[in-house]
Amino acid sequence: MWASVYTFTEHYAITGNAAFDAIFGSTVLSYVTNPTPKSQPSKEVFRNKHGPFLLFVSFLHVHAPLVTTEKFRGKSRHGLCGDNVEELDWMVGRILDAIDKEGLKNNTFTYFTSDHGGSLEAQRQNAQLGGWNGIHKGGKGMGGWEGGIRVAGIFRWPGVLPADTVIDEPTSHMDIYPTVAHLAAGIMPQDRVIDGQNLMPLLQGKVQLSEHEFLFHYCGLYLHEVQWHQKDSGALWKAHHVTPIFQAEGAGACYRRGMCHCFGKDVTHRDPPLLFDLSSDPAETKPLSPATEPLFDTVISRLERAVQEHRQTLTLVPQQLSGYNNIWKPWLQPCCGTFPFCWCDKEGDSEQEIL
């Protein structure tokens, strides 16, 4: 899960610091996870509260192996996964409480979301560790199926964003960058295509429809699916060009391999693409065809043209998810001792701050 907090000055000028410790001090992590008198927020923790700051918190929750403290084990009715969700909820509450206590609530834009849906293959015996995606098909790492890419976005900014509002429009994590740049009165780069859109008009109710007309979803380097938000009709067309082969067949996930692959013999290339209208079939259970959808050929033609136009905007860049970038690099991870002799005290065994 991602919890991002952006605080702005009176003129919405912002300078971003991505390093957690550099913004709030090392006691924040201790305060969130182990609230003792020693770990309470202090002037040092909120030393930047009168100026612009960016706080980005990437939780281990709710990711397998679902590391959960003793306080929350067995607390929920939904096993270890439920316990982990409840602990995540508590930790997010700790951060929001600290922001409120410091008088920052009304000028802080808070965004809570997840980077993907539940991982269906994450299981231990009969226990599901990877979460549940409701009616939506598929899960994490499956290209374009809704269960892997449809996640909630929860926003808070009292006095600026209307409370208790549900917006059922397609947006993207790519929208964070242009939204924050807008709030900060920043200038967007002009030498590249920016795929994200400023969310503020949609969040404030000034417009009713998302600025996104097309959204492209990749599995690694491979385009698996494209969506078309046809605003004049309200339809949300979705075409799967590539889909993973589930194992066992019809199981809804790649249980035998432990994960779905993006290419090769483990995927099916669809020609014509597998077409759905998510506005009437969000569970993707009723694929359309020329016999069932009069606009089938027109929609497919428009989507294919959008893919061609999209590919013309792409340039080669280093792969973030290459084999080298994915291997363990112990010299880059935090070390509680003297490298390579790293260790962390067991919970409750020491009052040493978590650094």
Side-chain angles (χ1 to χ4, degrees), residues 14 76 116 138 187 194 208 254:
I14 185 169
S76 80
H116 52 70
I187 299 175
I194 302 298
Q208 302 303 311
C254 303

Side-chain angles (χ1 to χ4, degrees), residues 60-63 65-75 79-88 91 347:
L60 290 176
H61 303 57
V62 287
H63 197 292
L66 299 178
V67 177
T68 308
T69 61
E70 188 65 32
K71 177 181 178 181
F72 285 90
R73 290 176 193 160
K75 185 176 181 180
L80 183 59
C81 185
D83 298 344
N84 206 241
V85 170
E86 293 204 12
E87 184 168 47
L88 170 67
M91 289 194 294
E347 181 184 356

